[in-house]
Amino acid sequence: MRLLLIRHGQTPSNVKRLLDTAAPGPALTPLGQEQAAALPDALADETIDALYASSLLRTQLTAAPLAARTGLEVRVREGIRELIAGDLEMRGDDEAVETYMTTAFAWSAGDTGLRMPGGESGAEALRRYDAVVEEAAATGAGTVAMVSHGAAIRMWAAARAGNIDVRFASARELRNTGVVILSGAPGEGWRVLDWEGRAVAAQDSGSAASGPAGEAVEGAEAP
């Protein structure tokens, strides 16, 4: 299966650099609306067979233009929502962002028993995300697009793709409506083919960064 993991368009909390992960979450900014409107053309070369969005409003608004172009129903699933910030919710200070991303990438590295302060554990976060991917694969769709969230996409890709690691995912930002393309299947493994328009080698890594979108903490962008 070809899996397109798409980050949602810009929100007001992104502009303010806040860890905003609670439901239903904010709508899109005018720029975010423009980014969502541009997605169908950006993905025009993809033959998308199924379209998913998380239970947070911003992903559904981002998916709407793509649904209109393809004629696909948007399947809303809780499992691909953003990593729940818990006690860090609506904070944007360096300490909170560092804790959030350090915890998320610890999950990718295998420390899935670790819990976000006041939030979910890595095992819980991966289980819910895996469940939606497994559901999509079971449909037999050749290409599936999922509109999700920056930290969740980066954490899941680093945990599940065999050709990238935590250093790679933590060093590379995922901008609003950025796309990570993977190929594979549940139980067989995954490989990242493309990260925001750049092909990914068979084995790749990078230096660490700590912002929710991959930047240094002082320039961090909210999920």
Side-chain angles (χ1 to χ4, degrees):
M1 183 175 78
R2 188 173 173 86
L3 180 61
L4 314 180
L5 298 180
I6 306 164
R7 189 185 179 204
H8 59 80
Q10 187 193 69
T11 71
S13 292
N14 292 156
V15 176
K16 296 176 181 178
R17 305 186 185 282
L18 300 176
L19 293 167
D20 185 351
T21 70
L28 303 178
T29 63
L31 175 57
Q33 294 170 21
E34 293 175 7
Q35 292 167 336
L39 260 182
D41 286 340
L43 298 177
D45 292 338
E46 299 283 350
T47 303
I48 299 171
D49 302 304
L51 176 60
Y52 289 76
S54 86
S55 54
L56 302 187
L57 177 62
R58 53 192 178 271
T59 62
Q60 296 167 48
L61 293 174
T62 303
L66 195 55
R69 176 73 65 88
T70 61
L72 294 169
E73 171 193 1
V74 179
R75 307 181 189 193
V76 176
R77 297 293 184 269
E78 180 84 7
I80 56 172
R81 65 176 292 175
E82 185 57 289
L83 307 179
I84 299 169
D87 294 342
L88 308 176
E89 186 70 16
M90 297 307 290
R91 286 177 57 181
D93 57 281
D94 291 354
E95 180 182 3
V97 171
E98 179 71 19
T99 298
Y100 183 83
M101 293 311 302
T102 298
T103 301
F105 286 124
W107 297 345
S108 299
D111 190 2
T112 58
L114 184 65
R115 188 170 293 276
M116 194 71 72
E120 63 191 334
S121 70
E124 291 164 347
L126 284 164
R127 187 182 306 120
R128 63 175 171 83
Y129 215 97
D130 286 340
V132 183
V133 174
E134 290 166 8
E135 175 193 330
T139 68
T143 298
V144 174
M146 293 187 178
V147 185
S148 184
H149 304 263
I153 292 171
R154 293 166 66 211
M155 183 279 295
W156 187 86
R160 296 297 186 238
N163 65 322
I164 69 166
D165 57 16
V166 169
R167 292 182 66 209
F168 178 97
S170 66
R172 287 160 175 80
E173 68 175 278
L174 188 60
R175 293 167 292 184
N176 292 111
T177 61
V179 183
V180 175
I181 302 176
L182 301 95
S183 178
E188 298 177 13
W190 295 93
R191 183 167 63 95
V192 174
L193 303 177
D194 184 281
W195 192 286
E196 281 201 322
R198 299 185 65 177
V200 178
Q203 293 290 331
D204 210 339
S205 64
S207 59
S210 54
E215 316 87 334
V217 169
E218 61 269 23
E221 185 172 350

